[in-house]
Amino acid sequence: MKFFTILMTLSMAASCAAQPVGWKVSHNSNAVLTATKEDSEKNTVTVSRSDLQEKGALVVVYKDKHAEAGWKREIILVDQDENEIARGGNKLTTENTVLYNHLSKGAKSFHVYTWTLPTDPEKAALIRIRRVHLCTIIVK
């Protein structure tokens, strides 16, 4: 019984240590959002259409306290119809020209999500992925 209690305590401590430090979203070299918790209402950024015509980029950086060995992080940018626009690891960089081109295809907002996967394909096939909403970018 003591062994089980110790095992559960260690497991809970490990899961707490795996919590993210947070993420930062920058647009055209200006920090526009810093967050540590998933919140689809609060984690929203508004960008003007004219800002996307300037030279620059949207950058999302995700920091883990302790990256787990054998796992890799994915960050993905999609439009409101879930069409993938860009993908990266702990850092995602998307040029303004790419975002602006999607506006001409009818996009009005973009969403950034993240998840982690085991690097071993056999292990990855056994787990269910839950994507975490990092932010929503609304273009006006």
Side-chain angles (χ1 to χ4, degrees), residues 41-94:
E41 289 183 24
K42 289 183 181 178
N43 297 344
T44 301
V45 175
T46 303
V47 176
S48 73
R49 196 176 185 93
S50 61
D51 285 344
L52 294 179
Q53 291 177 313
E54 297 176 12
K55 184 176 181 178
L58 175 75
V59 179
V60 181
V61 179
Y62 192 94
K63 300 243 184 195
D64 288 310
K65 281 186 181 177
H66 305 283
E68 199 170 332
W71 287 70
K72 67 177 180 175
R73 175 153 308 280
E74 295 277 336
I75 300 176
I76 186 170
L77 174 71
V78 297
D79 63 16
Q80 75 268 3
D81 296 325
E82 295 291 320
N83 297 311
E84 183 177 326
I85 297 168
R87 183 182 291 247
N90 287 331
K91 181 178 182 180
L92 171 75
T93 303
T94 309

Side-chain angles (χ1 to χ4, degrees), residues 9-140:
T9 303
L10 290 174
S11 172
M12 288 172 36
S15 69
C16 290
Q19 295 299 316
V21 170
W23 56 93
K24 181 178 178 181
V25 180
S26 302
H27 185 245
N28 294 346
S29 301
N30 298 316
V32 293
L33 175 71
T34 301
T36 58
K37 294 184 180 180
E38 183 179 15
D39 188 330
S40 58
E41 289 183 24
K42 289 183 181 178
N43 297 344
T44 301
V45 175
T46 303
V47 176
S48 73
R49 196 176 185 93
S50 61
D51 285 344
L52 294 179
Q53 291 177 313
E54 297 176 12
K55 184 176 181 178
L58 175 75
V59 179
V60 181
V61 179
Y62 192 94
K63 300 243 184 195
D64 288 310
K65 281 186 181 177
H66 305 283
E68 199 170 332
W71 287 70
K72 67 177 180 175
R73 175 153 308 280
E74 295 277 336
I75 300 176
I76 186 170
L77 174 71
V78 297
D79 63 16
Q80 75 268 3
D81 296 325
E82 295 291 320
N83 297 311
E84 183 177 326
I85 297 168
R87 183 182 291 247
N90 287 331
K91 181 178 182 180
L92 171 75
T93 303
T94 309
E95 297 295 323
N96 282 344
T97 54
V98 173
L99 297 172
Y100 190 78
N101 287 340
H102 277 78
L103 292 179
S104 65
K105 297 176 184 175
K108 294 179 179 141
S109 65
F110 303 98
H111 305 278
V112 181
Y113 298 100
T114 189
W115 60 81
T116 58
L117 273 175
T119 53
D120 180 351
E122 290 179 13
K123 289 181 182 177
L126 298 175
I127 66 165
R128 184 172 179 192
I129 298 172
R130 179 191 171 286
R131 66 183 189 176
V132 176
H133 175 266
L134 298 183
C135 75
T136 299
I137 299 122
I138 299 171
V139 181
K140 291 194 175 190

